[in-house]
Amino acid sequence: MMDLYPALVDEDRRLSGHDRKLAQIVLDDVDFAIRSTIGELAARAEVSPPTVTRFCRRIGCAGFSDFKLQLARMNYVGLRYLRPEVPTTSAAEVAEDIVAKAQNALFQLHQQLDPVVLDRAAQVLRAADFILAFGSGGNSSMISHELHNRLFRLGCRIHSSNDRSMDLMLSAAVTPGTVTVVSSMTGLDADLVRCLDLMRQQKVPTIALTQSGSPVALAADIPITIDLPEGRNIFRPTSTRYAFLAAVDILANLVAYADRQRATVFLRRIKEELVRSRDGDDRQLLGD
Amino acid sequence: MMDLYPALVDEDRRLSGHDRKLAQIVLDDVDFAIRSTIGELAARAEVSPPTVTRFCRRIGCAGFSDFKLQLARMNYVGLRYLRPEVPTTSAAEVAEDIVAKAQNALFQLHQQLDPVVLDRAAQVLRAADFILAFGSGGNSSMISHELHNRLFRLGCRIHSSNDRSMDLMLSAAVTPGTVTVVSSMTGLDADLVRCLDLMRQQKVPTIALTQSGSPVALAADIPITIDLPEGRNIFRPTSTRYAFLAAVDILANLVAYADRQRATVFLRRIKEELVRSRDGDDRQLLGD
DNA sequence: CAACACAAGAAAAATTATTACACGCAGGCT
DNA sequence: AGCCTGCGTGTAATAATTTTTCTTGTGTTG
């Protein structure tokens, strides 16, 4: 169930000769590729059918039918995004592109998540007396904010910080009973690694949302790893944020379910306060 | 495209006998249907292969292969969401549910967006001397933060505020050349409406990300409306956030494309600074 | 009760994909 | 240099899958 897209664009030039030609033809006209038989596709690429089968195998499919199936899947999600070189500029194109990439990021997140790890993280969070959430630099700071936003509602005592200097001081001052969650999309934040080391010295459990194998992931007790392909478009800061956000979402839900009663109490209280302070419409969201 | 689903659920009972049985089997296990051959599916339904072919034709496909293709497409986003809601508690279930809902929110956003409005909003933003971004209460505050995070990188002068009292003061003190973006998921925030009214008095253009027809939408010059069904699960603050986030994403991209050169300059500078301050790995994201 | 419409299966046919095998070519090794 | 080896390719044979054709059975209607 691998994603075809990276294999097709073949950034690292692993495909050769006819395979590259085939990939190009498929990318140029996905609908054709989906509808055609192996013979038709082979003819368009001026190769033999077996070459097409082999091509499908090389890019990770079981065969040509499987290839078409996967292509159909991918295509539905909005395959306009298979044209990286052609800069999309119209509003409709940009919208389609971003939505497709976001959905794709969520899809890949879902593939990568390990329920066991998530459960463990949720349990640790649930048991914490106090939670620290670290994340700096736009994207990860959004994540740590969001963790705060979600967990305080469940009755968790939590502080979120986006300030690397503060993070270090907070880490130096942690006390048992604390649990720390850090977020780093690259996993290369050296300060964050230092924080995690300090935590470990104090036996404070740490959860990291980050790339697998990265320094941050290695320094954390419970790494929740999310690996997504880098975007090449510098105007677009990757759709990784959607995946991270979903990870927080899932985590917060699991924490809520771990003690449903307690969570309900707090959520009700918050909701009542919101309804009171606004015009009494109780369809209100929990915090706009 | 998506009309396979209605045909399968067969609300108006147009299918009969074996066809209904086949539809049920397919809906029960879409993955099986996608993977299996016509023979296997026929066996599971205890019918003959030709019956399956005829079934596919009746519900609007060209044949069994086409049916599988369409099914694969549908299965990616649409169908999971349409399943009856069961209380989910296991980590895997929660993850699946949240991812599906988020993808669906993005899907619906995509359908609702009006490219013309987006373009107009982007142009107004691009022309602004100064941008104010308002949004309070967890979700919308994330959105206004994100607007800041995305637009300052493009060279926009922008301030984001999550403080209703400050919003009002800022609104009272706006000067021509300013453009304001507000976010409210419910659209019921009275203070925000007041802010928008103040802006209008000063002829400051206003853009609102909110529900259509809501007071906030009505008070804004350029309402970018996003209507998503309310979730009933109080533990889950709707997946609307993903949609709003994507809207910001799209908007920021359009602003960037409106003056690509300028945007590139700023993004490069930011990137260089990031690379310098870290370990020189230039695959770094733009702001973790 | 016959005539008809319809649905279903069996078997044959057609289509489509895969495998087996042989050839050719480039790069490395003796 | 000459030879082996590995890789990619096409042809032809094979296998698989799907569709068509033909036949039978069932239920409805005049």
Side-chain angles (χ1 to χ4, degrees):
Chain A
M1 177 65 88
M2 234 259 314
D3 196 19
L4 276 191
Y5 174 66
L8 280 173
V9 291
D10 186 38
E11 275 173 329
D12 28 336
R13 296 276 164 188
R14 287 201 320 233
L15 300 180
S16 59
H18 289 170
D19 281 356
R20 186 138 359 123
K21 187 173 183 186
L22 275 165
Q24 197 51 53
I25 284 174
V26 171
L27 290 178
D28 282 348
D29 192 348
V30 182
D31 282 334
F32 168 79
I34 290 173
R35 262 190 280 285
S36 65
T37 69
I38 196 170
E40 290 166 332
L41 184 58
R44 185 179 278 208
E46 295 170 306
V47 298
S48 66
T51 299
V52 177
T53 295
R54 287 188 276 255
F55 163 73
C56 296
R57 298 257 163 83
R58 269 193 278 266
I59 63 175
C61 301
F64 183 66
S65 324
D66 184 45
F67 171 71
K68 286 209 294 187
L69 243 32
Q70 300 220 36
L71 213 51
R73 257 207 191 91
M74 190 167 79
N75 191 40
Y76 176 77
V77 177
L79 203 59
R80 192 136 310 269
Y81 95 110
L82 283 180
R83 306 216 117 278
E85 343 75 53
V86 180
T88 53
T89 34
S90 89
E93 284 172 333
V94 169
E96 163 135 9
D97 190 42
I98 285 176
V99 167
K101 288 215 172 93
Q103 288 185 321
N104 200 55
L106 288 166
F107 178 72
Q108 291 191 243
L109 165 85
H110 186 216
Q111 302 294 115
Q112 290 173 21
L113 282 179
D114 181 348
V116 177
V117 173
L118 285 172
D119 258 332
R120 203 145 63 86
Q123 246 144 47
V124 168
L125 283 172
R126 177 61 197 80
D129 293 328
F130 181 54
I131 299 168
L132 283 172
F134 294 169
S136 305
N139 294 325
S140 280
S141 76
M142 182 184 93
I143 297 304
S144 66
H145 260 127
E146 183 64 6
L147 260 169
H148 179 268
N149 180 37
R150 298 299 302 280
L151 292 184
F152 91 83
R153 289 161 200 265
L154 304 176
C156 298
R157 294 183 218 134
I158 176 168
H159 171 73
S160 91
S161 160
N162 323 308
D163 175 336
R164 287 205 176 78
S165 310
M166 278 305 295
D167 293 353
L168 284 165
M169 290 191 277
L170 286 162
S171 303
V174 286
T175 47
T178 304
V179 171
T180 304
V181 189
V182 307
S183 163
S184 171
M185 297 201 176
T186 58
L188 300 172
D189 189 321
D191 289 329
L192 221 43
V193 173
R194 175 89 185 112
C195 288
L196 290 170
D197 288 342
L198 288 168
M199 301 289 177
R200 182 161 286 170
Q201 284 171 25
Q202 299 300 319
K203 306 245 188 302
V204 163
T206 54
I207 300 165
L209 289 161
T210 192
Q211 271 192 10
S212 70
S214 68
V216 171
L218 296 173
D221 297 324
I222 308 178
I224 298 174
T225 58
I226 303 172
D227 300 313
L228 293 176
E230 286 287 314
R232 289 154 309 288
N233 185 338
I234 65 159
F235 295 114
R236 202 156 301 165
T238 79
S239 21
T240 316
R241 285 138 57 249
Y242 297 89
F244 273 66
L245 197 57
V248 170
D249 227 336
I250 293 164
L251 216 46
N253 266 273
L254 291 175
V255 172
Y257 288 138
D259 189 346
R260 195 181 281 258
Q261 296 216 304
R262 192 176 76 136
T264 310
V265 170
F266 283 98
L267 288 168
R268 280 253 157 81
R269 272 198 232 158
I270 293 167
K271 181 133 187 164
E272 274 165 23
E273 184 47 35
L274 269 177
V275 172
R276 215 187 335 263
S277 80
R278 293 201 281 202
D279 63 1
D281 181 345
D282 89 328
R283 292 191 340 273
Q284 301 276 17
L285 301 178
L286 280 166
D288 208 292
Chain B
M1 164 174 56
M2 256 277 275
D3 36 18
L4 202 52
Y5 183 74
L8 279 174
V9 290
D10 185 36
E11 275 168 334
D12 28 338
R13 297 276 165 186
R14 287 201 320 231
L15 301 180
S16 58
H18 289 168
D19 281 356
R20 187 141 354 127
K21 188 173 184 184
L22 274 165
Q24 197 50 55
I25 284 173
V26 170
L27 286 175
D28 282 348
D29 192 347
V30 181
D31 282 334
F32 167 78
I34 291 174
R35 261 192 295 279
S36 65
T37 70
I38 195 170
E40 289 166 331
L41 184 58
R44 186 178 277 208
E46 295 170 305
V47 299
S48 66
T51 299
V52 177
T53 296
R54 288 189 274 254
F55 163 73
C56 297
R57 298 257 164 83
R58 268 193 280 268
I59 64 174
C61 302
F64 184 66
S65 324
D66 183 46
F67 171 71
K68 286 208 293 187
L69 245 30
Q70 299 221 40
L71 213 51
R73 270 218 283 259
M74 180 175 83
N75 192 37
Y76 187 88
V77 180
L79 192 62
R80 277 187 301 177
Y81 181 72
L82 295 167
R83 275 199 207 132
E85 195 142 342
V86 276
T88 52
T89 31
S90 89
E93 285 170 334
V94 169
E96 160 123 16
D97 192 43
I98 284 177
V99 167
K101 290 219 168 87
Q103 288 184 323
N104 197 62
L106 289 164
F107 179 72
Q108 292 192 242
L109 165 87
H110 183 42
Q111 301 212 305
Q112 290 174 23
L113 282 179
D114 180 349
V116 177
V117 172
L118 286 172
D119 257 334
R120 203 145 64 85
Q123 246 144 48
V124 168
L125 284 173
R126 177 60 199 79
D129 294 328
F130 181 54
I131 299 168
L132 284 173
F134 295 168
S136 306
N139 294 325
S140 280
S141 77
M142 182 183 93
I143 298 303
S144 66
H145 259 127
E146 182 65 7
L147 261 168
H148 178 269
N149 180 37
R150 297 299 300 283
L151 293 184
F152 91 85
R153 288 159 201 266
L154 305 176
C156 298
R157 296 183 218 132
I158 176 168
H159 170 73
S160 90
S161 160
N162 322 306
D163 175 336
R164 288 205 175 80
S165 311
M166 278 304 295
D167 294 353
L168 283 165
M169 290 192 277
L170 286 162
S171 302
V174 285
T175 48
T178 304
V179 170
T180 305
V181 189
V182 307
S183 162
S184 171
M185 297 200 176
T186 59
L188 300 172
D189 189 320
D191 288 330
L192 220 45
V193 173
R194 174 91 186 113
C195 289
L196 291 170
D197 288 342
L198 287 167
M199 302 288 178
R200 182 161 287 169
Q201 284 171 25
Q202 299 299 319
K203 303 246 187 304
V204 163
T206 52
I207 299 165
L209 290 161
T210 192
Q211 272 192 9
S212 69
S214 67
V216 170
L218 297 174
D221 296 325
I222 308 178
I224 299 174
T225 57
I226 304 172
D227 300 311
L228 293 176
E230 287 287 313
R232 285 157 308 289
N233 186 338
I234 65 160
F235 296 114
R236 202 159 299 164
T238 79
S239 21
T240 315
R241 284 136 60 246
Y242 297 90
F244 273 66
L245 196 57
V248 169
D249 227 334
I250 294 164
L251 217 45
N253 265 273
L254 291 175
V255 172
Y257 288 137
D259 189 345
R260 192 181 287 260
Q261 296 215 304
R262 192 177 75 137
T264 310
V265 170
F266 283 98
L267 288 168
R268 280 249 159 81
R269 274 199 228 156
I270 293 168
K271 183 136 186 161
E272 273 165 24
E273 184 48 35
L274 270 178
V275 172
R276 216 188 332 264
S277 77
R278 294 201 281 202
D279 63 1
D281 180 344
D282 90 329
R283 291 192 339 272
Q284 300 277 17
L285 302 178
L286 278 165
D288 206 289

